[in-house]
Amino acid sequence: MSAVETTDLAALMLDLGRRARAAAAVLAFAPAEKKRAALLAAAQALDERRDDILSANALDMAAARAKGISGAFLDRLQLNDKRVDAMIEGLRTIAELPDPVGQVVAEWDVPSGLHIRRVRTPLGVIGVIFESRPNVTADAGALTLKAGNAVILRGGSDSISSSRAIHAGLVAGLRAAGLPEDAIQIVPTTDRAAVGEMLRGLGGSIDVIVPRGGKTLVARVQDEARVPVFAHLEGICHTFIDRTAGLDMAVDVTVNAKMRRTGICGATETLLVHRDVVDTHLRPVVAALAERGCEIRGDATVRALVPDVTPATEDDWHTEYEDAIISVKVVSDVGEAIAHINRYSSHHTEAILSEDPAAVARFFGEIDSAILMHNASTQFADGGEFGFGGEIGIATGKFHARGPVGVEQLTSFKYLVEGQGTLRP
């Protein structure tokens, strides 16, 4: 890239930041009903522009196939009527959520006579950097708007046509409600240098970055960002079949957790099986996975009991496959399952299938992941399934936001302190 091109890109990105900051100042005080109206109008616009969105997505899909992109990537990229319906429903659900801005989180009195309230406030300007998932455009735009924030979206080149078509619908909603169109902006270039500009904060305009993509993208964001980051590096999720798990449930939940959508971050990558149910549960579960086209990589015990299993290596326990592959290990008890998960997990989502309350309590108490499931598929690790209306990503860090990042997680807070001429002695 030439010096002129670099200067032009930097100026372009700084201008996006300035406009987003100005829009955020308006949104911070926007009436709840106005934000609701914008989201409902955006939902209607997406419905009316459905053909345009699907046509744009067809262009992205054709280009991705020409590049020989993997099936899991294509699944994340693809839109159809059902997925457009889901985006529309997500916008409408978020529109009807309680407005978080100004909510009193807690209030109390102190002996000095002061009355203190902690209330939610917008974060300001959110930068969202994502790959291949065009629905993130709608989710991120809606959630940030509801929380009173402006957002700058930088989608991957593979989904650029789809993202632009969706973005046009969101802007139509803002326009209809009389809110600043700069509240939801999309970076107009696929130049990778734009990501670097966002990570530097656009001259102080960006308050937080949310990456939504593969390990390489997230690692770059975490290494280079000069502003706070909500992120997870990868989704190495586990399902543990305890000795008291029912066979039918073990089969159904494990198959769903792995095979419903293999490319999402909540897909189970490693299955742990209690040794007491190896004779009854292991073969049926593995057979059900294999019937769905899943490759099995097992430890020595698994290979001794089930034919045609590929040996699992140390690398397998560290791998997020994002494909129809699962690693399987037999463990002696819940303690060994916990030890394995704590060693290899990316702290995203883990599930235990069990009817033993003591085992479940220990699993929940001793594993430090963002989401823990009992008798449920790890694929429920999703803001929409949590009742958030959608999510901007899954955060596995420990500061501010953890788990699905929804409307409440996109706010900060301030303290409102009231006295009556109160003096500190």
Side-chain angles (χ1 to χ4, degrees), residues 135-321:
N135 62 292
V136 174
T137 307
D139 290 345
L143 290 165
T144 51
L145 174 63
K146 185 71 177 187
N149 302 296
V151 64
I152 298 173
L153 303 164
R154 200 285 183 180
S157 59
D158 297 294
S159 62
I160 188 64
S161 297
S162 308
S163 296
R164 284 173 174 167
I166 295 166
H167 175 254
L170 300 179
V171 171
L174 291 167
R175 187 184 308 119
L179 289 175
E181 294 182 23
D182 288 338
I184 303 174
Q185 298 183 75
I186 190 166
V187 175
T189 175
T190 59
D191 191 328
R192 290 177 179 269
V195 173
E197 296 293 332
M198 291 179 69
L199 298 181
R200 285 187 283 275
L202 303 184
S205 291
I206 292 181
D207 294 289
V208 66
I209 291 282
V210 182
R212 185 89 180 265
K215 186 174 181 178
T216 301
L217 168 67
V218 178
R220 179 190 176 188
V221 169
Q222 292 178 326
D223 286 344
E224 298 182 18
R226 298 294 181 265
V227 294
V229 175
F230 293 167
H232 75 269
L233 190 60
E234 53 193 339
I236 302 177
C237 304
H238 298 75
T239 294
F240 169 49
I241 301 176
D242 192 24
R243 63 183 181 83
T244 60
L247 176 58
D248 290 344
M249 181 182 67
V251 172
D252 292 344
V253 172
T254 303
V255 169
N256 183 269
K258 176 71 249 185
M259 299 302 295
R260 173 186 165 272
R261 291 185 67 184
T262 59
I264 67 173
C265 59
T268 286
E269 307 292 12
T270 294
L271 173 66
L272 304 174
V273 181
H274 195 295
R275 67 180 178 187
D276 289 356
V277 293
V278 163
D279 293 335
T280 55
H281 290 44
L282 182 62
R283 290 188 185 89
V285 170
V286 168
L289 288 165
E291 286 171 7
R292 293 286 299 272
C294 187
E295 178 187 337
I296 313 299
R297 299 182 183 179
D299 69 358
T301 304
V302 174
R303 298 199 311 276
L305 294 171
V306 183
D308 302 322
V309 171
T310 302
T313 67
E314 178 67 17
D315 286 345
D316 283 303
W317 312 125
H318 292 279
T319 299
E320 180 184 21
Y321 299 111

